Amino acid sequence: MTPPRRRLPPEERRRAILDAAAAFFAEEGLDAPTRDLARRAGVTQALLYRYFPSKAALLEAVFERVYLNRLDPAWLDALRDRAVPIEARVTAFYEAYTAAIFTPEWMRIFMWAGLAGEELNRRYLEHLGAAFLRPLAEELAAAPGLRAPEMEDVWNLHGSLVYLGIRRFIYRLPTPQDARRPIARAVARFLAGLRA
Amino acid sequence: MTPPRRRLPPEERRRAILDAAAAFFAEEGLDAPTRDLARRAGVTQALLYRYFPSKAALLEAVFERVYLNRLDPAWLDALRDRAVPIEARVTAFYEAYTAAIFTPEWMRIFMWAGLAGEELNRRYLEHLGAAFLRPLAEELAAAPGLRAPEMEDVWNLHGSLVYLGIRRFIYRLPTPQDARRPIARAVARFLAGLRA
DNA sequence: CCCGTTGGTTTTCGCTTGATCAACAAGCGC
DNA sequence: GCGCTTGTTGATCAAGCGAAAACCAACGGG
């Protein structure tokens, strides 16, 4: 009946707690109680405070784990490779991007953080805009036969695809399990709109 | 120094509390403390429980106030009026729809509720889909020169415009203050995509 | 002008929260 | 197998939570 008291190397225990914390806070929200998290991680609540000085610090570590190094710089090179048709490039970018962010942890923690007023979202989206969406807009402008889009048009395309993840992970509505078809159709329609 | 104890007719007080509650829970989240709400409403915390039996009941009343009768059946008639060009009809629908939902209360409570797992979102979006978006899809299919869209295409258009509100009210990022231009461009592009 | 109805406040309860700390025991070096 | 380091626990605290109960006073009818 007494739970065996297993002793783990600190590195390993820390990672186990962070894994549990990411899934837990994604599900329950950023101010879900640390006691419930501890139960889920299979440790006592007090132990969390050996690895993290405060709940805020633990959350910061979760943010880092979920959002850092999730954007692959290689996507930018592929996006800029004008040997490849523009439609294939944009499609490939959004297939890679949605594959990276369409997880409960990414989508739900992002939304919880946004509502809570964390700066995470603004910083992240400004970076995404500058590092990927503006280059994407430039490639569209440079593509033969396309009118140059405004950044707001690109955000519109972006939102149309991210919304698929919102329906799936936030509202838990049924959505196509494979995002590739919706992506292909949305990108094709977007480009057709820039040609007309 | 002592706050004047003002006596209001119950109907009026109830409405004042609901007004404050909608703004308060939109800002702070559905499990923000009732004491803070009371302070904001200018009453004591205990008084809330004279007008609502529990916090859950108060939240239910807020949902009703924010989401009930917000969708105007007249939109459907306008959407189905084939004397008007399809582009004007879709544009007008989304101008009316975004005017109805682009408020902090609507957008933020909807997102808090979705994350909290409330049934509100599923019920609302299923109703919206059946009552407005499916007819919209039918009108697109019936419009001359357009390929019939899948429902998923319509949700894509829908999301591209709702995402504008998410950026503004959830992430608090700068967005065009007037939604009409983005709507016009998104709808025009969408239709062009269905023509190609 | 007084009095009863009832809107409003003060006080309190039982419970949960983030965080702390002394006590305990698992595992490695010897 | 011994003992020390240190990962882990149970007990505890002050603050904050939703809710209830007792008390107070504003207003209209007589």
Side-chain angles (χ1 to χ4, degrees):
Chain A
M1 217 53 215
T2 46
R5 181 185 265 192
R6 279 189 50 217
R7 211 182 158 96
L8 260 59
E11 196 74 10
E12 208 169 319
R13 176 69 72 191
R14 190 187 148 91
R15 247 200 61 199
I17 291 178
L18 269 182
D19 284 351
F24 172 75
F25 287 123
E27 183 57 33
E28 308 286 337
L30 304 188
D31 41 40
T34 54
R35 277 169 179 80
D36 292 357
L37 164 59
R39 192 176 316 123
R40 177 150 171 168
V43 297
T44 54
Q45 185 239 6
L47 190 63
L48 303 178
Y49 288 85
R50 181 170 193 89
Y51 290 89
F52 303 93
S54 69
K55 186 182 176 180
L58 167 56
L59 276 171
E60 202 58 47
V62 168
F63 289 169
E64 190 180 316
R65 197 184 121 70
V66 174
Y67 298 104
L68 215 69
N69 301 325
R70 205 92 172 205
L71 302 181
D72 187 343
W75 298 342
L76 190 59
D77 303 328
L79 211 45
R80 285 218 160 109
D81 179 6
R82 299 194 180 170
V84 177
I86 185 69
E87 180 162 347
R89 280 183 279 155
V90 178
T91 304
F93 171 73
Y94 271 108
E95 282 180 3
Y97 184 68
T98 54
I101 74 166
F102 278 8
T103 71
E105 287 83 14
W106 201 104
M107 291 293 301
R108 292 179 62 89
I109 292 179
F110 198 75
M111 207 55 84
W112 287 115
L115 284 166
E118 302 277 347
E119 62 202 330
L120 169 71
N121 308 67
R122 272 185 299 278
R123 281 207 323 243
Y124 175 89
L125 286 176
E126 274 162 19
H127 171 65
L128 180 78
F132 292 93
L133 299 193
R134 186 167 294 278
L136 193 158
E138 288 165 7
E139 293 305 308
L140 289 168
L146 293 190
R147 283 179 296 119
E150 304 177 1
M151 272 309 288
E152 197 56 31
D153 296 326
V154 176
W155 281 112
N156 183 269
L157 169 64
H158 187 77
S160 79
L161 294 172
V162 170
Y163 189 73
L164 180 67
I166 293 177
R167 285 193 288 145
R168 185 185 302 171
F169 295 104
I170 313 293
Y171 306 147
R172 299 189 195 280
L173 284 163
T175 60
Q177 74 279 28
D178 188 349
R180 279 180 302 183
R181 181 179 159 85
I183 290 172
R185 290 177 70 96
V187 170
R189 240 183 294 116
F190 185 78
L191 294 181
L194 289 184
R195 265 188 284 268
Chain B
M1 215 56 216
T2 46
R5 181 186 264 191
R6 280 189 50 219
R7 214 180 155 98
L8 259 61
E11 196 75 8
E12 207 169 319
R13 176 69 73 191
R14 190 189 149 92
R15 247 199 62 200
I17 291 178
L18 270 181
D19 284 350
F24 172 75
F25 287 123
E27 183 58 35
E28 308 285 338
L30 304 189
D31 40 43
T34 54
R35 276 169 178 81
D36 291 357
L37 164 59
R39 192 176 315 122
R40 177 150 171 170
V43 298
T44 54
Q45 184 243 4
L47 189 64
L48 303 178
Y49 288 85
R50 183 173 192 88
Y51 290 89
F52 303 93
S54 69
K55 186 181 176 182
L58 168 56
L59 276 171
E60 201 59 47
V62 168
F63 289 169
E64 189 180 318
R65 198 186 120 70
V66 174
Y67 298 105
L68 215 66
N69 302 325
R70 206 92 171 204
L71 302 181
D72 187 343
W75 297 343
L76 189 59
D77 302 329
L79 210 45
R80 285 219 159 110
D81 180 6
R82 298 195 179 166
V84 177
I86 185 69
E87 179 162 348
R89 280 183 277 156
V90 178
T91 304
F93 170 72
Y94 271 108
E95 282 179 3
Y97 185 68
T98 56
I101 75 165
F102 278 8
T103 71
E105 288 82 14
W106 200 105
M107 291 293 300
R108 292 178 62 87
I109 292 180
F110 198 75
M111 207 56 86
W112 285 116
L115 284 166
E118 302 276 348
E119 62 201 332
L120 168 71
N121 307 67
R122 270 185 300 278
R123 280 207 322 243
Y124 175 87
L125 287 176
E126 273 163 19
H127 171 66
L128 180 78
F132 293 93
L133 299 193
R134 184 167 296 276
L136 193 158
E138 288 164 6
E139 292 306 308
L140 290 166
L146 293 190
R147 282 180 297 118
E150 304 176 1
M151 272 309 290
E152 197 57 30
D153 296 325
V154 176
W155 281 112
N156 183 267
L157 169 65
H158 188 76
S160 79
L161 294 173
V162 170
Y163 189 73
L164 180 68
I166 293 177
R167 285 192 288 145
R168 186 187 301 170
F169 295 104
I170 313 292
Y171 306 147
R172 298 187 194 284
L173 284 163
T175 59
Q177 74 281 25
D178 188 349
R180 279 179 304 181
R181 181 178 158 83
I183 290 171
R185 291 177 70 93
V187 170
R189 240 183 294 113
F190 184 78
L191 294 181
L194 289 184
R195 265 188 285 268

